[in-house]
Amino acid sequence: SWLFEPQSTNLVTYSEDFSQWLPYQINTPLPNQGTSPDGNNNATKIFVTINRTKSVVYKSGSGLGNITRSVFAKKGSADYMFFDVPSSNAGVWFNLSNGEVGTINSGTATIEDYGNGWYRCSCTANWSSGIFAIGLSDADNSTALTANKDILIWGAQTEALSYPTSYIPTSGTSVTRNQDVCTN
């Protein structure tokens, strides 16, 4: 079978360089800490060394309204990863231990196994903020995190679609992939 995708734009301006994202109650993200789904040593470790009530890295200006956010994540010593929007009920938890979607506060969510412990986690919702926040936690529907916990992340994407399309890398600006077309 053929997979034809529509035109789509990744609105996240730094999809792999999480040093361009802002940390909140989290240590400075460490790049090149593991092999990402593209086969390169370019996965970023996000982690804490002390107990926290909420620990996220976030990027402003990455779309709002009815959109789909996604990121590739791999379990470290933390079991859960979540998307969060400050002052909003949009958010979802992903269990990186067993590859299941946890609590969904609004919208719909999916988790897809990419092998070698990697999952592509996505959520489609009506996001009330242009902030894309990725956090780690100890449990479903909680933002609390005990000391010395981490996960790996790579390939963040925000699209003005109701589902995630194939990954579109960015490096400083949003990038548009043209629609797939088949002739004859």
Side-chain angles (χ1 to χ4, degrees):
S1 66
W2 294 78
L3 171 65
F4 294 104
E5 291 188 308
Q7 177 175 305
S8 188
T9 300
N10 186 353
L11 301 172
V12 176
T13 55
Y14 289 96
S15 63
E16 298 174 21
D17 184 359
F18 292 95
S19 70
Q20 300 296 321
W21 292 49
L22 297 173
Y24 175 78
Q25 291 193 28
I26 199 167
N27 294 65
T28 301
L30 296 175
N32 308 322
Q33 297 297 304
T35 304
S36 74
D38 78 352
N40 293 306
N41 182 35
N42 58 358
T44 298
K45 180 191 278 189
I46 57 173
F47 66 104
V48 299
T49 53
I50 61 174
N51 294 349
R52 295 293 191 177
T53 56
K54 182 189 278 188
S55 302
V56 300
V57 291
Y58 67 96
K59 186 80 175 125
S60 297
S62 58
L64 58 98
N66 289 311
I67 57 174
T68 299
R69 299 191 192 283
S70 64
V71 71
F72 293 86
K74 183 176 184 176
K75 179 186 174 356
S77 51
D79 291 323
Y80 286 86
M81 189 268 304
F82 65 93
F83 294 163
D84 181 56
V85 177
S87 305
S88 172
N89 67 348
V92 62
W93 279 256
F94 301 93
N95 186 328
L96 300 177
S97 293
N98 63 16
E100 294 181 357
V101 175
T103 299
I104 303 171
N105 289 333
S106 67
T108 60
T110 61
I111 187 167
E112 184 179 355
D113 190 340
Y114 268 70
N116 196 27
W118 283 97
Y119 294 98
R120 188 176 192 194
C121 305
S122 66
C123 180
T124 302
N126 187 5
W127 301 87
S128 62
S129 169
I131 296 172
F132 187 177
I134 301 168
L136 57 159
S137 70
D138 287 329
D140 184 33
N141 203 24
S142 169
T143 59
L145 188 64
T146 52
N148 301 313
K149 296 291 179 78
D150 66 89
I151 63 170
L152 292 175
I153 57 174
W154 177 82
Q157 186 156 297
T158 296
E159 302 173 85
L161 293 172
S162 60
Y163 58 91
T165 65
S166 59
Y167 174 57
I168 305 166
T170 65
S171 181
T173 62
S174 60
V175 173
T176 299
R177 180 194 57 246
N178 291 328
Q179 175 181 357
D180 294 328
V181 176
C182 179
T183 306
N184 226 6

